[in-house]
Amino acid sequence: MLNKGDKVSVLDEAINGTVVSVKNNEVLIETEDGFMMTFFVNELIKIQDSSNLMNSIKRVDLDSVSKQKEEPKPRSFVKEKKDKREIGVPEFDLHIEKLIPNKRGMSNYDILTLQTETAKRHIEFAIKNRIPKIVFIHGVGEGILKAELDFLLGRYDGIDFQDANYQKYGLGATEVYFRQNR
């Protein structure tokens, strides 16, 4: 349990700070840079005080967490050149786990409907805001979501779509281009 004044580190980010308050499972911390940020208890780890004799025992735990915080090295030996058009292309992951916290009680039809409605919202937003290109990540699976996405995209005028960059996404993504009149 974390208490006010404890030194903590954020698991998924390179942020350290001091606990200001704890309410339920949310913790307000003041970062070393002076910013106030809120995290869930399971996103934080308590950093032991250096004067504590148990520090050497806890250091093993802290080292393993630090290794988890490091970003994995890319496995490819091919250096990707960034195309100017590729910078800032919005990617939308349509996997159900990314859309809702819990899919319990949902039928396959409900899941597919939520995924296609989400894709439709992003398409409408891109058209309205004149975004030239977006990428939908749908995964490989049995191809049902991809087929539904292809059907949805085919109903719009002024939209071209194709499989996304194989090196970056494999077979599990679709690039959507919006032809817009200037």
Side-chain angles (χ1 to χ4, degrees), residues 6-8 15-21 27-39:
D6 287 346
K7 302 281 186 202
V8 292
I15 299 174
N16 294 328
T18 306
V19 175
V20 175
S21 68
V27 180
L28 178 66
I29 69 167
E30 181 177 356
T31 66
E32 293 172 339
D33 299 322
F35 293 104
M36 301 301 263
M37 300 180 81
T38 304
F39 294 96

Side-chain angles (χ1 to χ4, degrees), residues 7-142:
K7 302 281 186 202
V8 292
S9 180
V10 181
L11 285 176
D12 293 333
E13 299 178 43
I15 299 174
N16 294 328
T18 306
V19 175
V20 175
S21 68
V22 180
K23 288 185 182 175
N24 298 331
N25 64 342
E26 292 186 5
V27 180
L28 178 66
I29 69 167
E30 181 177 356
T31 66
E32 293 172 339
D33 299 322
F35 293 104
M36 301 301 263
M37 300 180 81
T38 304
F39 294 96
F40 290 110
V41 174
N42 61 352
E43 296 176 315
L44 300 172
I45 185 164
K46 186 175 178 181
I47 300 174
Q48 299 296 320
D49 197 10
S50 60
S51 63
N52 189 345
L53 293 176
M54 296 297 288
N55 193 31
S56 60
I57 297 171
K58 296 293 183 184
R59 187 74 193 156
V60 176
D61 294 337
L62 192 57
D63 287 341
S64 66
V65 169
S66 296
K67 287 179 186 172
Q68 291 176 2
K69 287 173 72 171
E70 292 177 7
E71 300 234 358
K73 306 274 187 287
R75 293 188 298 182
S76 174
F77 294 104
V78 178
K79 176 116 173 114
E80 281 188 51
K81 285 190 177 180
K82 297 280 185 190
D83 190 3
K84 288 182 181 178
R85 293 169 289 169
E86 290 291 321
I87 297 173
V89 176
E91 298 175 353
F92 302 105
D93 195 336
L94 297 177
H95 286 94
I96 192 65
E97 302 84 28
K98 301 290 184 179
L99 300 179
I100 57 171
N102 188 354
K103 66 176 183 173
R104 193 177 322 142
M106 293 181 74
S107 68
N108 288 343
Y109 174 79
D110 295 336
I111 293 170
L112 186 61
T113 302
L114 177 64
Q115 290 169 318
T116 53
E117 289 297 320
T118 302
K120 186 175 180 181
R121 252 192 350 265
H122 290 303
I123 292 167
E124 299 289 337
F125 180 83
I127 291 170
K128 184 173 135 188
N129 292 293
R130 303 179 69 78
I131 297 172
K133 175 183 167 184
I134 61 176
V135 175
F136 286 117
I137 301 170
H138 47 71
V140 180
E142 295 177 23

